[in-house]
Protein backbone atom coordinates (compact mmCIF):
# COMPACT_ATOMS: atom_id res chain seq x y z
CA UNK A 1 0.00 0.00 0.00
CA UNK A 2 1.26 3.48 -0.89
CA UNK A 3 -0.05 4.87 2.40
CA UNK A 4 2.26 2.60 4.38
CA UNK A 5 5.23 4.80 3.52
CA UNK A 6 5.72 8.08 5.40
CA UNK A 7 5.80 11.37 3.51
CA UNK A 8 9.26 12.79 2.69
CA UNK A 9 10.25 15.42 5.23
CA UNK A 10 9.07 18.93 4.32
CA UNK A 11 6.41 17.81 1.83
CA UNK A 12 2.66 17.41 2.12
CA UNK A 13 0.61 14.67 0.48
CA UNK A 14 -0.59 17.00 -2.28
CA UNK A 15 2.93 18.36 -2.94
CA UNK A 16 4.42 14.89 -3.39
CA UNK A 17 1.56 13.95 -5.71
CA UNK A 18 1.89 17.28 -7.56
CA UNK A 19 5.63 16.83 -8.17
CA UNK A 20 5.10 13.23 -9.28
CA UNK A 21 2.36 14.36 -11.68
CA UNK A 22 4.53 17.19 -13.06
CA UNK A 23 7.41 14.76 -13.65
CA UNK A 24 5.08 12.27 -15.36
CA UNK A 25 3.54 14.90 -17.66
CA UNK A 26 6.98 16.29 -18.57
CA UNK A 27 8.29 12.78 -19.26
CA UNK A 28 5.30 11.79 -21.42
CA UNK A 29 5.34 15.02 -23.42
CA UNK A 30 9.10 14.92 -23.93
CA UNK A 31 9.00 11.22 -24.83
CA UNK A 32 6.30 11.73 -27.48
CA UNK A 33 7.88 14.84 -29.05
CA UNK A 34 11.42 13.45 -29.09
CA UNK A 35 10.14 10.09 -30.28
CA UNK A 36 8.54 11.86 -33.24
CA UNK A 37 11.83 13.63 -33.95
CA UNK A 38 13.80 10.35 -33.92
CA UNK A 39 11.25 8.33 -35.93
CA UNK A 40 10.94 11.07 -38.56
CA UNK A 41 14.72 11.08 -39.03
CA UNK A 42 14.65 7.29 -39.42
CA UNK A 43 11.70 7.20 -41.85
CA UNK A 44 12.13 10.35 -43.97
CA UNK A 45 15.18 10.16 -46.22
CA UNK A 46 15.37 13.94 -46.75
CA UNK A 47 15.92 14.47 -43.04
CA UNK A 48 18.96 12.20 -42.87
CA UNK A 49 21.65 14.87 -43.05
CA UNK A 50 24.83 15.45 -40.99
CA UNK A 51 23.26 18.57 -39.44
CA UNK A 52 20.12 16.72 -38.40
CA UNK A 53 22.26 14.00 -36.78
CA UNK A 54 23.10 16.63 -34.13
CA UNK A 55 19.35 17.14 -33.55
CA UNK A 56 18.98 13.36 -33.19
CA UNK A 57 21.81 13.33 -30.63
CA UNK A 58 19.85 15.94 -28.66
CA UNK A 59 16.58 13.99 -29.03
CA UNK A 60 18.21 10.74 -27.82
CA UNK A 61 19.74 12.53 -24.81
CA UNK A 62 16.41 14.13 -23.98
CA UNK A 63 14.66 10.76 -24.30
CA UNK A 64 17.13 9.52 -21.68
CA UNK A 65 16.09 12.42 -19.44
CA UNK A 66 12.44 11.44 -19.96
CA UNK A 67 13.21 7.87 -18.83
CA UNK A 68 14.93 9.34 -15.78
CA UNK A 69 11.83 11.46 -15.08
CA UNK A 70 9.54 8.42 -15.49
CA UNK A 71 11.45 6.59 -12.77
CA UNK A 72 11.34 9.68 -10.52
CA UNK A 73 7.58 10.07 -11.12
CA UNK A 74 6.91 6.41 -10.30
CA UNK A 75 8.93 6.68 -7.07
CA UNK A 76 7.13 9.92 -6.16
CA UNK A 77 3.77 8.17 -6.42
CA UNK A 78 5.17 5.40 -4.18
CA UNK A 79 6.50 8.13 -1.84
CA UNK A 80 9.85 6.37 -1.45
CA UNK A 81 12.84 5.18 -3.53
CA UNK A 82 12.36 1.42 -4.13
CA UNK A 83 15.66 0.61 -5.87
CA UNK A 84 18.18 0.90 -3.04
CA UNK A 85 21.51 2.72 -2.93
CA UNK A 86 22.89 0.97 -6.04
CA UNK A 87 19.77 1.95 -7.96
CA UNK A 88 20.32 5.53 -6.78
CA UNK A 89 23.83 5.52 -8.26
CA UNK A 90 22.56 4.14 -11.57
CA UNK A 91 19.73 6.68 -11.68
CA UNK A 92 22.09 9.57 -10.92
CA UNK A 93 24.61 8.40 -13.52
CA UNK A 94 21.98 7.83 -16.23
CA UNK A 95 20.38 11.22 -15.61
CA UNK A 96 23.74 13.00 -15.65
CA UNK A 97 24.86 11.38 -18.93
CA UNK A 98 21.57 12.38 -20.57
CA UNK A 99 21.64 15.93 -19.17
CA UNK A 100 25.26 16.69 -20.09
CA UNK A 101 24.86 15.14 -23.57
CA UNK A 102 21.74 17.25 -24.08
CA UNK A 103 23.53 20.49 -23.19
CA UNK A 104 26.55 19.60 -25.37
CA UNK A 105 24.27 18.71 -28.30
CA UNK A 106 22.59 22.13 -28.03
CA UNK A 107 26.04 23.73 -28.31
CA UNK A 108 26.95 21.49 -31.27
CA UNK A 109 23.76 22.54 -33.10
CA UNK A 110 24.61 26.22 -32.48
CA UNK A 111 28.14 25.69 -33.81
CA UNK A 112 26.75 24.00 -36.93
CA UNK A 113 24.18 26.75 -37.52
CA UNK A 114 26.90 29.37 -37.22
CA UNK A 115 28.75 27.70 -40.10
CA UNK A 116 25.56 27.35 -42.13
CA UNK A 117 24.62 31.00 -41.86
CA UNK A 118 27.96 32.79 -41.42
CA UNK A 119 30.59 30.76 -43.30
CA UNK A 120 28.24 28.87 -45.67
CA UNK A 121 30.22 25.69 -45.05
CA UNK A 122 28.38 22.36 -44.99
CA UNK A 123 28.78 19.83 -42.22
CA UNK A 124 30.17 16.46 -43.35
CA UNK A 125 29.05 13.11 -41.95
CA UNK A 126 32.51 12.32 -40.53
CA UNK A 127 32.59 15.63 -38.62
CA UNK A 128 29.00 15.24 -37.40
CA UNK A 129 29.62 11.69 -36.11
CA UNK A 130 32.88 12.79 -34.43
CA UNK A 131 31.12 15.70 -32.67
CA UNK A 132 28.32 13.42 -31.42
CA UNK A 133 30.78 10.78 -30.16
CA UNK A 134 32.85 13.45 -28.40
CA UNK A 135 29.77 15.00 -26.75
CA UNK A 136 28.56 11.64 -25.41
CA UNK A 137 32.06 10.45 -24.46
CA UNK A 138 32.83 13.65 -22.55
CA UNK A 139 29.44 13.51 -20.81
CA UNK A 140 30.06 9.87 -19.84
CA UNK A 141 33.47 10.78 -18.40
CA UNK A 142 32.07 13.46 -16.08
CA UNK A 143 29.08 11.29 -15.15
CA UNK A 144 31.32 8.36 -14.17
CA UNK A 145 33.51 10.39 -11.82
CA UNK A 146 31.02 10.36 -8.88
CA UNK A 147 30.90 6.55 -9.19
CA UNK A 148 34.66 6.55 -8.55
CA UNK A 149 34.51 8.99 -5.65
CA UNK A 150 35.04 12.38 -7.29
CA UNK A 151 31.69 13.98 -6.53
CA UNK A 152 28.81 11.85 -5.24
CA UNK A 153 25.29 10.86 -6.26
CA UNK A 154 22.62 10.97 -3.57
CA UNK A 155 18.88 11.51 -3.11
CA UNK A 156 17.09 14.71 -4.05
CA UNK A 157 15.17 16.39 -1.16
CA UNK A 158 12.02 14.46 -2.14
CA UNK A 159 14.08 11.24 -1.78
CA UNK A 160 12.40 9.71 -4.83
CA UNK A 161 15.17 10.45 -7.35
CA UNK A 162 18.95 10.85 -7.32
CA UNK A 163 21.43 13.43 -8.58
CA UNK A 164 24.76 15.08 -7.72
CA UNK A 165 24.92 15.54 -3.93
CA UNK A 166 25.44 19.23 -3.17
CA UNK A 167 24.37 19.00 0.49
CA UNK A 168 27.87 18.44 1.91
CA UNK A 169 29.65 21.12 -0.22
CA UNK A 170 33.02 19.72 0.90
CA UNK A 171 36.33 19.95 -0.96
CA UNK A 172 35.45 16.87 -3.01
CA UNK A 173 32.21 18.46 -4.27
CA UNK A 174 33.81 21.85 -4.96
CA UNK A 175 36.78 20.40 -6.86
CA UNK A 176 34.35 18.39 -9.02
CA UNK A 177 31.75 21.11 -9.57
CA UNK A 178 34.02 23.86 -10.93
CA UNK A 179 35.56 21.95 -13.86
CA UNK A 180 32.21 20.22 -14.51
CA UNK A 181 30.35 23.54 -14.69
CA UNK A 182 33.09 25.12 -16.80
CA UNK A 183 33.33 22.37 -19.42
CA UNK A 184 29.73 21.15 -19.49
CA UNK A 185 27.69 24.31 -18.90
CA UNK A 186 29.65 27.56 -19.27
CA UNK A 187 31.55 26.60 -22.44
CA UNK A 188 28.41 25.24 -24.21
CA UNK A 189 26.53 28.38 -23.12
CA UNK A 190 29.34 30.58 -24.46
CA UNK A 191 29.36 28.70 -27.78
CA UNK A 192 25.60 29.13 -28.10
CA UNK A 193 25.61 32.82 -27.19
CA UNK A 194 28.45 33.74 -29.59
CA UNK A 195 27.12 31.54 -32.42
CA UNK A 196 23.56 32.87 -32.30
CA UNK A 197 24.79 36.45 -31.81
CA UNK A 198 26.90 36.11 -34.96
CA UNK A 199 23.94 34.63 -36.85
CA UNK A 200 21.74 37.50 -35.67
CA UNK A 201 24.26 40.10 -36.86
CA UNK A 202 24.61 38.35 -40.21
CA UNK A 203 20.84 38.18 -40.76
CA UNK A 204 20.38 41.75 -39.59
CA UNK A 205 22.81 42.97 -42.25
CA UNK A 206 20.97 41.05 -44.95
CA UNK A 207 17.58 42.22 -43.65
CA UNK A 208 16.38 38.66 -42.79
CA UNK A 209 15.57 39.03 -39.10
CA UNK A 210 12.74 36.48 -39.30
CA UNK A 211 14.85 33.91 -37.44
CA UNK A 212 14.63 34.05 -33.64
CA UNK A 213 18.20 33.42 -32.50
CA UNK A 214 17.59 34.07 -28.80
CA UNK A 215 15.22 31.15 -28.08
CA UNK A 216 17.83 28.33 -27.84
CA UNK A 217 19.98 30.29 -25.36
CA UNK A 218 16.95 31.34 -23.30
CA UNK A 219 15.64 27.77 -23.12
CA UNK A 220 19.02 26.46 -21.88
CA UNK A 221 19.31 29.19 -19.22
CA UNK A 222 15.70 28.77 -18.02
CA UNK A 223 15.87 24.97 -17.80
CA UNK A 224 19.39 24.51 -16.41
CA UNK A 225 20.28 27.91 -14.91
CA UNK A 226 18.41 27.41 -11.59
CA UNK A 227 20.02 23.99 -11.07
CA UNK A 228 23.49 25.44 -11.72
CA UNK A 229 22.80 28.33 -9.33
CA UNK A 230 21.69 25.90 -6.61
CA UNK A 231 24.94 23.93 -6.93
CA UNK A 232 27.05 27.11 -6.75
CA UNK A 233 24.96 28.43 -3.87
CA UNK A 234 25.86 25.24 -1.97
CA UNK A 235 29.53 26.28 -2.12
CA UNK A 236 29.05 29.58 -0.28
CA UNK A 237 26.12 28.61 1.93
CA UNK A 238 24.68 25.42 3.40
CA UNK A 239 22.01 24.57 0.80
CA UNK A 240 20.09 22.45 3.29
CA UNK A 241 18.91 25.66 5.03
CA UNK A 242 16.69 26.17 1.98
CA UNK A 243 13.33 24.43 2.17
CA UNK A 244 13.17 20.98 0.51
CA UNK A 245 10.41 22.28 -1.78
CA UNK A 246 12.62 25.15 -3.01
CA UNK A 247 15.51 22.76 -3.62
CA UNK A 248 13.28 20.44 -5.67
CA UNK A 249 12.13 23.18 -8.05
CA UNK A 250 15.37 23.39 -10.11
CA UNK A 251 15.29 19.61 -10.63
CA UNK A 252 11.66 19.69 -11.78
CA UNK A 253 12.42 22.68 -14.03
CA UNK A 254 15.40 20.87 -15.60
CA UNK A 255 13.15 17.92 -16.47
CA UNK A 256 11.17 20.33 -18.69
CA UNK A 257 14.11 20.57 -21.09
CA UNK A 258 13.24 17.50 -23.26
CA UNK A 259 9.84 18.94 -24.22
CA UNK A 260 11.26 22.46 -24.62
CA UNK A 261 14.15 21.25 -26.79
CA UNK A 262 11.85 19.15 -28.97
CA UNK A 263 9.79 22.27 -29.63
CA UNK A 264 12.80 24.55 -30.24
CA UNK A 265 14.95 22.20 -32.36
CA UNK A 266 12.45 19.78 -33.92
CA UNK A 267 9.04 21.37 -34.23
CA UNK A 268 10.64 24.83 -34.30
CA UNK A 269 12.84 23.90 -37.27
CA UNK A 270 10.88 24.64 -40.46
CA UNK A 271 12.34 21.83 -42.55
CA UNK A 272 12.37 19.29 -39.73
CA UNK A 273 8.77 20.18 -38.94
CA UNK A 274 7.95 19.41 -42.57
CA UNK A 275 9.61 16.02 -42.20
CA UNK A 276 7.61 15.24 -39.06
CA UNK A 277 4.42 16.25 -40.90
CA UNK A 278 5.35 13.92 -43.77
CA UNK A 279 6.02 11.09 -41.31
CA UNK A 280 2.64 11.60 -39.61
CA UNK A 281 0.47 12.21 -42.68
CA UNK A 282 2.37 10.75 -45.61
CA UNK A 283 2.24 14.10 -47.41
CA UNK A 284 5.47 14.81 -49.27
CA UNK A 285 7.57 17.82 -48.32
CA UNK A 286 7.23 20.30 -51.17
CA UNK A 287 10.85 21.38 -51.08
CA UNK A 288 13.28 19.03 -49.32
CA UNK A 289 15.79 21.52 -48.00
CA UNK A 290 18.00 20.44 -45.18
CA UNK A 291 19.34 23.69 -43.73
CA UNK A 292 18.48 24.03 -40.06
CA UNK A 293 16.47 27.16 -39.34
CA UNK A 294 15.76 27.94 -35.72
CA UNK A 295 12.55 29.87 -35.08
Amino acid sequence: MVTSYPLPEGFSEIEVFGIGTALLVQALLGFILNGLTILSFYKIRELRTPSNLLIISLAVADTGLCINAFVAAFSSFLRYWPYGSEGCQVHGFQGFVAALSSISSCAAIAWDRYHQYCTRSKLHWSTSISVVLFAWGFASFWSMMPLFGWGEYDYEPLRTCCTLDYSKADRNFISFLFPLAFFEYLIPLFIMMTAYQSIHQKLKKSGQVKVNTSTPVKSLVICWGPYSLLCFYAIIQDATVLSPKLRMMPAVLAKMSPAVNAYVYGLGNENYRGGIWQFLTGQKIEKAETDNKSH
Side-chain angles (χ1 to χ4, degrees):
M1 295 288 288
V2 172
T3 51
S4 63
Y5 297 102
L7 285 167
E9 188 180 347
F11 294 91
S12 67
E13 185 86 49
I14 192 72
E15 287 165 347
V16 174
F17 182 78
I19 290 172
T21 303
L23 290 171
L24 182 61
V25 170
Q26 290 168 356
L28 284 171
L29 187 60
F31 201 78
I32 291 167
L33 294 177
N34 285 288
L36 273 177
T37 303
I38 294 166
L39 285 172
S40 299
F41 180 86
Y42 175 72
K43 290 287 187 180
I44 307 301
R45 185 174 56 82
E46 292 89 346
L47 289 181
R48 288 184 227 135
T49 68
S51 291
N52 284 342
L53 181 65
L54 302 180
I55 292 179
I56 289 304
S57 171
L58 175 61
V60 170
D62 284 341
T63 301
L65 269 177
C66 291
I67 293 169
N68 192 270
F70 270 126
V71 174
F74 175 72
S75 302
S76 297
F77 291 135
L78 289 179
R79 302 198 331 198
Y80 82 111
W81 178 256
Y83 307 109
S85 57
E86 286 187 7
C88 180
Q89 299 303 302
V90 172
H91 188 251
F93 169 76
Q94 187 269 338
F96 238 60
V97 169
L100 299 181
S101 300
S102 175
I103 294 169
S104 297
S105 296
C106 289
I109 292 168
W111 166 78
D112 174 48
R113 286 176 173 172
Y114 165 78
H115 286 293
Q116 284 184 31
Y117 284 103
C118 299
T119 68
R120 297 294 176 188
S121 59
K122 292 280 186 181
L123 184 66
H124 297 291
W125 276 108
S126 57
T127 307
S128 181
I129 291 168
S130 298
V131 168
V132 169
L133 289 176
F134 175 78
W136 281 85
F138 205 47
S140 299
F141 167 78
W142 286 107
S143 302
M144 279 192 294
M145 289 302 101
L147 301 178
F148 293 105
W150 192 24
E152 184 181 346
Y153 293 126
D154 205 349
Y155 299 106
E156 291 273 21
L158 194 61
R159 301 195 67 78
T160 57
C161 49
C162 299
T163 188
L164 184 68
D165 181 21
Y166 51 79
S167 63
K168 298 186 184 73
D170 53 13
R171 186 177 295 178
N172 181 40
F173 168 76
I174 295 169
S175 68
F176 178 69
L177 178 67
F178 274 105
L180 170 71
F182 180 74
F183 287 114
E184 290 285 17
Y185 183 72
L186 295 178
I187 286 182
L189 183 60
F190 176 76
I191 290 170
M192 291 176 70
M193 289 175 68
T194 52
Y196 286 117
Q197 183 63 30
S198 300
I199 294 168
H200 178 75
Q201 295 296 335
K202 181 82 173 178
L203 294 176
K204 199 174 178 183
K205 282 181 186 174
S206 60
Q208 304 172 13
V209 205
K210 295 179 292 185
V211 178
N212 187 346
T213 54
S214 63
T215 305
V217 176
K218 284 178 184 174
S219 63
L220 182 75
V221 171
I222 290 169
C223 290
W224 291 105
Y227 199 88
S228 303
L229 285 174
L230 176 63
C231 288
F232 277 109
Y233 177 81
I235 292 173
I236 57 172
Q237 190 70 261
D238 181 7
T240 57
V241 301
L242 301 173
S243 74
K245 287 190 282 286
L246 189 60
R247 284 184 283 136
M248 271 306 295
M249 287 307 103
V252 174
L253 202 58
K255 297 268 194 310
M256 280 174 47
S257 63
V260 172
N261 287 340
Y263 174 76
V264 172
Y265 295 97
L267 296 175
N269 176 322
E270 187 180 348
N271 296 297
Y272 212 106
R273 186 167 62 242
I276 292 172
W277 179 253
Q278 183 181 342
F279 168 68
L280 289 174
T281 65
Q283 293 180 15
K284 186 77 174 169
I285 307 172
E286 288 180 16
K287 190 177 180 184
E289 297 195 29
T290 53
D291 286 346
N292 283 308
K293 298 176 183 176
S294 62
H295 291 266

